[in-house]
Amino acid sequence: FFSCCFPRFDEIKEGDVVRHDGKRSDGYLEHIFKHAAKELFGMDVKEITYKALKNKDFQEVTLEKDGETVLRFAAAYGFRNIQNMVLKMKKGKFLYHFVEVLACPGGCLNGKGQAQTEDGKPDKALLNQMEEVYAAIPVRLPETNVHVQKMYQDWLEGMDSKKVQETLHTKYGTVNQTASNLDIKW
């Protein structure tokens, strides 16, 4: 099933490697923000400006139209920020349309799986080098990727099919709170 419907990694050549919009590997928020601005409000956003809130790992991006904030996105990196986000959500005080959440403070490239100095700290020189290498990879919008288009045609039966709606789209609604052993206490 997998090999007939999805491209195999051995079919992808070095020149085929592309990245989404965003300055680092954890910047998918930028692509979603620009796409939403264009699709929902007809606005072409070229540059995104992050506003640091409580710390550099909790940032906000907004889009204004006619003096009104119409999109509000956030990037929350590190468990402390994730916990604060969940608490605000529980209190109904988290007013974001989209949140990019990463467990590692500073994002994926700063994670514990990356190279560190002998004292266990992130290797800043290597981190900068990794960011430069990532930034050098060509940007291609996911919707223009040949492999993604093939998946839509072969597996999802076209761009606007019922299968696309059932598989990739979600509708959210209010959930009644009930006591459960699955409740998380932060």
Side-chain angles (χ1 to χ4, degrees), residues 51 151 157:
K51 175 184 167 191
M151 181 187 71
E157 301 164 359

Side-chain angles (χ1 to χ4, degrees), residues 85-163:
M85 180 187 71
V86 169
L87 288 173
K88 286 182 181 182
M89 287 173 69
K90 283 184 171 185
K91 293 177 182 177
K93 296 181 180 184
F94 201 73
L95 308 173
Y96 294 100
H97 298 104
F98 177 91
V99 180
E100 181 173 73
V101 177
L102 297 170
C104 298
C108 294
L109 292 179
N110 197 43
K112 287 294 184 186
Q114 303 298 342
Q116 300 175 356
T117 59
E118 293 204 12
D119 61 354
K121 304 264 191 228
D123 185 333
K124 300 256 186 227
L126 182 59
L127 179 59
N128 288 336
Q129 187 178 5
M130 287 189 299
E131 286 176 353
E132 287 174 14
V133 168
Y134 184 78
I137 298 171
V139 172
R140 184 185 318 154
L141 298 176
E143 55 270 21
T144 65
N145 185 308
V146 175
H147 300 295
V148 172
Q149 290 174 355
K150 184 170 174 40
M151 181 187 71
Y152 268 93
Q153 290 306 331
D154 296 351
W155 184 59
L156 294 170
E157 301 164 359
M159 295 294 281
D160 296 320
S161 71
K162 182 178 179 184
K163 193 167 184 177

Side-chain angles (χ1 to χ4, degrees), residues 13-14 20 39 49-50 63-64 75-77 79 81 91-92 109 124 131 158 161 170 176 186:
K13 298 169 192 61
E14 185 176 331
H20 54 72
E39 291 294 313
T49 303
Y50 287 88
L63 178 70
E64 290 189 12
Y77 304 156
F79 284 112
N81 290 315
K91 293 177 182 177
L109 292 179
K124 300 256 186 227
E131 286 176 353
S161 71
T170 303
N176 295 330
W186 296 93

